[in-house]
Amino acid sequence: MIVNTLIGFFAEYKAARSMEALRELGAQKTRVRRGGKEAEVKAEELVPGDIVLLGKGSLVPADSLTPRG
């Protein structure tokens, strides 16, 4: 019974780590100019005032299309 519990625990642990790795792999990053310096940030970390730098094939973060007001 203890062996089954340990096997289940480690299997669940590995699955959770795999899911986190996949989540990080799929996270969209974008290049911005923030405070006069270029940086690469996750799309969900965009803040008002960031200047999104676009190039060929760049994906436009949806939050950057929100009108100001």
Side-chain angles (χ1 to χ4, degrees), residues 54-67:
L54 300 175
K56 287 184 179 179
S58 294
L59 297 175
V60 178
D63 289 346
S64 66
L65 301 175
T66 305

Side-chain angles (χ1 to χ4, degrees), residues 1-57:
M1 178 126 176
I2 293 174
V3 173
N4 285 340
T5 303
L6 289 174
I7 290 172
F9 172 78
F10 285 115
E12 188 71 27
Y13 178 73
K14 282 180 65 174
R17 288 185 53 203
S18 295
M19 289 299 294
E20 185 61 34
L22 286 172
R23 198 172 290 122
E24 285 294 318
L25 186 63
Q28 183 182 0
K29 293 186 179 182
T30 187
R31 286 184 30 231
V32 297
R33 180 165 294 150
R34 183 183 283 177
K37 298 180 182 177
E38 287 188 22
E40 188 173 283
V41 297
K42 292 181 182 178
E44 62 264 11
E45 294 175 356
L46 287 173
V47 295
D50 282 345
I51 298 172
V52 179
L53 303 173
L54 300 175
K56 287 184 179 179

